[in-house]
Amino acid sequence: MLASVLLAGLLASCALPPRLPAPATLAARVAPPGFRPSVCFLSDNQAYLQKHLNAVVQAVRAAAGGRAVRILALSGGGAVGSFGAGALYGLAQAGRLPVFQVVTGVSAGALIAPFAFLGRTWDPELRRAFDGTRADHLLRLRPWLTFLVRPGFYRGAPLRALVSHFVTPRMIRAVAAAAAKGRVLLVGTTDLDKEEPVIWNMGMIAAHGGPAARRLFIRVLVASASIAGIFPPVLIHVERDGRSYDEMQVDGSTTVPFFITPEIAQVTPLRLPALRRARVYVVINGQLDAFAKTVAQTPLAVLSRSYSAAVMQAARQNLALSAEFAHRYHMRLRFTFLPMTFAYDGSLDFSRANRKALFAYGEHCARTGQLWTTLAQAVAAGQRAATEAPRHSRQCPAPPAHVSP
């Protein structure tokens, strides 16, 4: 009886405070207090896109200065985000990093996105964020019974601390300045209440200025990187017509592995002539094929393998959809990914050794001109590897200088 009383007391002390209800309608136009409603929108909101997207695309076109628009899309992938960070770092060191007019990111890609958006001058911060020591203790288990009443096996504080350290007032001012020139930085989260992807205009958030902009910027990045079931979800307070709500936001890759444009723009005939002949670069922080392996019968091993499988299958499907979208507008699509021959310990292995190996590999492939490949090349390489006995190597996604930057 005493044990039962103590257990009840423990669970009561761990209980979550009550949250405000979410907006009752799917299409409710809400925004955090003090921010314009256009700072965020549902990815499949066709009415919103038809009203606003062409104006944004025209501004992006102007920011390109008459050259082809360059778009960078960064996928989720947990710890494998270190590969994408290393790839961008290597491109910058080799003088091959373009100025991107549009940068999009989800999950781990969302954490990379501000650095990619700001360009080479932010390389030292990019390296410290993904190749440094601050992520060494990112996975800190909750007390053993807390998971019964609080979502997430691991604490959210280390992830918040990591993001808060690098999203400084200086970064917010730099993002706002770049956005004022017509460039666009977009981050995807998943609204669990609506079960839909949400797109956040981070440049618009930064342009709001002040501590409120930095707080929301951090909150959105943390939400996008909060892998469902692993990290706790993030509640974002919003308002509509004077009424307050709480939206529950989690990992953007829960609903979309990466995005070039909002979801609906890729499957409906919206007219986007200003994007014709754009150059599209996609960084997939994960594999598109994998060798079979015997999975250990432990919770973390099963979660990690399940997460990797879901991300891999979704990335394949979205890559095919993106290729069709690029073909429609005569875009040149190039992408990179982690080949199945690269051995690593999973998307949830945030150990320094794993992160450093992934970062160094991405950097090497970028420096040596072996980063970007095409869909046909990747399919052919995957089919060859699948017919061979499992082997591991550090061969890059593309042959040397196969695809120009």
Side-chain angles (χ1 to χ4, degrees), residues 145-171:
L145 281 176
T146 309
F147 72 90
L148 295 175
V149 290
R150 288 179 177 264
F153 280 103
Y154 295 93
R155 300 174 188 266
L159 178 58
R160 289 195 301 272
L162 177 68
V163 175
S164 298
H165 178 79
F166 290 102
V167 179
T168 60
R170 173 173 164 256
M171 173 180 277

Side-chain angles (χ1 to χ4, degrees), residues 43-330:
S43 180
D44 64 350
N45 189 334
Q46 185 168 356
Y48 175 87
L49 290 176
Q50 291 204 347
K51 183 178 180 180
H52 297 281
L53 189 56
N54 269 311
V56 172
V57 169
Q58 291 295 341
V60 165
R61 186 72 182 178
R67 297 185 296 273
V69 172
R70 286 177 168 83
I71 301 171
L72 173 67
L74 298 156
S75 87
V80 189
S82 292
F83 160 69
L88 292 173
Y89 182 85
L91 287 173
Q93 296 304 300
R96 296 194 185 100
L97 183 67
V99 174
F100 298 105
Q101 284 71 48
V102 179
V103 176
T104 73
V106 298
S107 196
L111 303 185
I112 304 170
F115 300 104
F117 186 67
L118 295 176
R120 184 173 181 178
T121 56
W122 287 77
D123 280 357
E125 287 86 350
L126 174 65
R127 177 152 211 159
R128 282 194 292 269
F130 289 88
D131 193 32
T133 61
R134 285 195 167 268
D136 284 355
H137 306 290
L138 195 59
L139 296 184
R140 292 176 57 194
L141 281 168
R142 291 184 180 277
W144 67 282
L145 281 176
T146 309
F147 72 90
L148 295 175
V149 290
R150 288 179 177 264
F153 280 103
Y154 295 93
R155 300 174 188 266
L159 178 58
R160 289 195 301 272
L162 177 68
V163 175
S164 298
H165 178 79
F166 290 102
V167 179
T168 60
R170 173 173 164 256
M171 173 180 277
I172 297 298
R173 291 192 297 270
V175 170
K181 298 176 182 177
R183 295 171 61 210
V184 177
L185 173 61
L186 302 175
V187 162
T189 62
T190 297
D191 185 333
L192 279 187
D193 300 310
K194 298 184 177 75
E195 297 184 304
E196 293 287 348
V198 178
I199 306 299
W200 297 83
N201 189 323
M202 306 302 281
M204 192 173 292
I205 292 173
H208 182 85
R214 180 170 176 260
R215 283 195 299 270
L216 181 58
F217 201 101
I218 291 170
R219 207 162 183 81
V220 170
L221 291 184
V222 172
S224 185
S226 292
I227 304 170
I230 301 298
F231 295 109
V234 175
L235 293 181
I236 296 183
H237 187 67
V238 296
E239 293 180 338
R240 181 193 184 199
D241 299 331
R243 296 189 61 184
S244 296
Y245 306 93
D246 285 335
E247 291 187 333
M248 183 178 283
Q249 305 283 348
V250 296
D251 183 4
S253 63
T254 303
T255 46
V256 60
F258 65 87
F259 63 98
I260 297 171
T261 59
E263 182 181 18
I264 199 70
Q266 294 189 192
V267 296
T268 60
L270 293 175
R271 296 181 179 275
L272 299 172
L275 286 182
R276 285 189 178 277
R277 307 195 184 284
R279 295 190 175 191
V280 179
Y281 304 83
V282 177
V283 176
I284 297 175
N285 291 303
Q287 295 176 322
L288 296 175
D289 296 284
F291 293 120
K293 64 177 290 187
T294 302
V295 179
Q297 297 183 82
T298 64
L300 187 57
V302 172
L303 273 173
S304 179
R305 190 68 169 178
S306 299
Y307 176 71
S308 297
V311 169
M312 182 174 70
Q313 296 300 325
R316 283 182 185 175
Q317 295 170 12
N318 211 48
L319 188 60
L321 186 64
S322 298
E324 176 58 31
F325 176 78
H327 177 73
R328 185 194 313 168
Y329 289 102
H330 304 284

